[in-house]
Amino acid sequence: MTDCYIYDHVRTPRGRGKSDGSLHEVTAMELAAQSLRAIRDRNELDTGLVDDVVMGCVDPVGEAGGDIARAAVLSADYDQTVAGVQINRFCASGLDAINFAAMHVMSDQHDMTIGGGVESMSRVGLGAAGGAWPVDPKLAVKAYYTPQGISADLVATKYGFSRDDVDAYAVESQKRADAAWKDGRFKNSVVPVTDVNGLDILDHDEHMRPETDMQSLASLRPAFAKMGAEAGFDAASIQRYPEVEFLNHVHHAGNSSGIVDGAAATLMGNEEAGRRAGLKPRARIRAFANIGTEPSIMLTGPIAVTEKVLERAGMSVDDIDLFEINEAFASIVLLAMDKLGLDHGKVNVNGGAIAMGHPLGATGTILLGTVLDELERRDLSTALVTLCIGAGMGTATVIERVQ
């Protein structure tokens, strides 16, 4: 099997996913196109060398629909021979876009690809694409459908994480993200989003709240308690997990991932493609995996898929220097660290989606780039990226630096 190398990665800043967010005026296509332009320009890349662009997008409807990857390729003025395809594996779409793009290289079907993702949550609303899982009773009833926030509270209740536990994790995420920005750890990867005149619209992650502390979080009411009681989701969870007598609703806006806009892109290829482009590889894709898990509790996938990908790679958790576990909700990372025996000092060391936001289709791409930069900064070797996924799944990727 051919090695697939990572040559570069970029991401936009993450703008608040509301009408008053800085990126609300920018379409999803333009966010994706700006990430493609950036990775082209900083590498002086002949785009005719790129075979395909794979982009994750979780709500590919309206202006974000119709194969946004190909639209972004054309808007970014890439060579017309460059193909594009949009994929959707919910929150892991951006990581699976990298994995899909890597598959083409590893199987010798393509020489150079780009994996990335985009989401404009301020313009295309969360859940706009709909789907059978929550609304078709043939599936929803037998799957004990519950919204993700309820599932996160179910995880906290079943595995014994208190409100203080999840709030303390959230405070630490904010502190780490603030320290990372102040230390310039993202400066080589974040490319400002510009307007039609080339003027910067946003050059930093604007969802962050570095002043967050336990006291300020304590003032926030649980976000999913009313929904759980009035819509019957608590009852569905208890029916599926009768050992849980009641749900302790501990999650709120301060310890859950932020709704934001953003895009990212990662340039990959085989050794010869990099040589033709005059590029030096930074890392290689060592292994990746997907797995399905129980869909009602839903968010436990990072544990099972981490075990699966490490087994396939012939590795253990001790062989991994840094981990990125998407901060969809605080309890999910706490559970993964507990069940996998991970040191928090190796997990999400620069903060995560609780502090900086979760642009659904792009997050996996962002996490992989973030951890690659950190491997280089710390002169470490290996990293594992994983995300929980709607409907009960997990995706994970292991990368290894080329030194």
Side-chain angles (χ1 to χ4, degrees):
M1 188 167 59
T2 300
D3 280 334
C4 179
Y5 295 100
I6 299 171
Y7 289 102
D8 199 14
H9 68 90
V10 298
R11 74 167 176 93
T12 69
R14 285 169 272 197
R16 284 193 307 272
K18 298 180 179 179
S19 59
D20 62 351
S22 295
L23 299 183
H24 178 62
E25 66 183 86
V26 186
T27 66
M29 183 194 72
E30 180 60 16
L31 284 175
Q34 289 203 21
S35 69
L36 294 180
R37 293 184 198 117
I39 210 160
R40 174 197 64 198
D41 295 346
R42 63 193 256 155
N43 292 287
E44 299 180 345
L45 179 65
D46 174 3
T47 59
L49 298 174
V50 179
D51 295 293
D52 202 3
V53 173
V54 185
M55 300 205 82
C57 184
V58 175
D59 280 300
V61 296
E63 65 184 40
D67 191 354
I68 195 170
R70 176 60 174 170
V73 163
L74 296 174
S75 182
D77 296 318
Y78 272 44
D79 193 290
Q80 69 176 9
T81 60
V82 181
V85 63
Q86 174 268 329
I87 66 167
N88 182 5
R89 200 190 294 273
F90 297 141
C91 294
S93 299
L95 185 59
D96 243 346
I98 288 175
N99 296 343
F100 277 45
M103 286 182 211
H104 293 299
V105 175
M106 296 165 80
S107 62
D108 283 329
Q109 304 308 304
H110 287 154
D111 296 322
M112 180 170 281
T113 58
I114 292 174
V118 62
E119 211 77 44
S120 177
M121 301 180 77
S122 71
R123 296 176 65 92
V124 182
L126 177 64
W133 169 45
V135 300
D136 189 330
K138 289 184 179 179
L139 175 58
V141 172
K142 72 177 180 180
Y144 296 91
Y145 169 75
T146 55
Q148 286 196 0
I150 305 292
S151 295
D153 286 338
L154 174 60
V155 167
T157 305
K158 179 175 170 61
Y159 294 100
F161 299 115
S162 67
R163 172 69 181 259
D164 281 351
D165 291 334
V166 291
D167 282 358
Y169 181 87
V171 170
E172 182 64 15
S173 179
Q174 294 283 357
K175 289 181 178 178
R176 291 183 177 192
D178 185 46
W181 268 102
K182 288 178 177 176
D183 196 38
R185 298 177 201 172
F186 303 135
K187 65 181 180 182
N188 294 326
S189 302
V190 174
V191 291
V193 176
T194 59
D195 63 15
V196 294
N197 297 310
L199 301 176
D200 288 358
I201 297 173
L202 185 67
D203 63 1
H204 64 281
D205 293 325
E206 69 174 344
H207 182 268
M208 293 168 51
R209 297 179 178 86
E211 72 284 356
T212 297
D213 57 23
M214 292 294 286
Q215 290 71 33
S216 62
L217 293 185
S219 67
L220 299 177
R221 294 182 179 180
F224 308 106
K226 184 176 181 181
M227 176 195 303
E230 295 184 357
F233 294 122
D234 283 7
S237 296
I238 294 167
Q239 186 177 21
R240 178 63 182 84
Y241 291 91
E243 67 271 26
V244 177
E245 295 182 10
F246 63 91
L247 262 66
N248 183 20
H249 290 283
V250 298
H251 288 93
H252 50 74
N255 56 34
S256 306
S257 54
I259 295 174
V260 294
D261 305 333
T266 299
L267 178 64
M268 298 176 289
N270 59 33
E271 187 174 13
E272 177 57 28
R275 186 178 297 113
R276 288 199 302 269
L279 301 174
K280 180 180 178 180
R282 297 172 61 181
R284 72 180 179 96
I285 304 288
R286 178 148 178 181
F288 48 82
N290 295 294
I291 202 167
T293 58
E294 200 281 306
S296 179
I297 204 166
M298 192 187 317
L299 304 174
T300 59
I303 301 163
V305 79
T306 293
E307 294 170 341
K308 180 178 181 178
V309 75
L310 289 176
E311 181 179 2
R312 294 184 68 85
M315 304 173 75
S316 72
V317 293
D318 294 332
D319 297 316
I320 302 297
D321 295 316
L322 294 174
F323 293 82
E324 285 288 329
I325 304 171
N326 186 38
E327 295 177 354
F329 301 91
S331 65
I332 308 311
V333 186
L334 291 173
L335 180 65
M337 289 194 297
D338 179 57
K339 295 299 184 182
L340 295 169
L342 305 182
D343 178 356
H344 193 185
K346 298 171 64 173
V347 177
N348 300 350
V349 296
N350 290 325
I354 289 173
M356 293 176 283
H358 178 17
L360 303 177
T363 301
T365 309
I366 292 172
L367 294 183
L368 188 138
T370 295
V371 82
L372 174 54
D373 286 349
E374 192 64 16
L375 286 177
E376 292 173 341
R377 191 180 77 86
R378 298 186 181 209
D379 195 22
L380 298 174
S381 179
T382 57
L384 186 149
V385 179
T386 184
L387 302 92
C388 59
I389 308 173
M393 292 183 283
T395 295
T397 304
V398 176
I399 64 171
E400 183 176 30
R401 277 184 64 205
V402 175
Q403 303 181 56

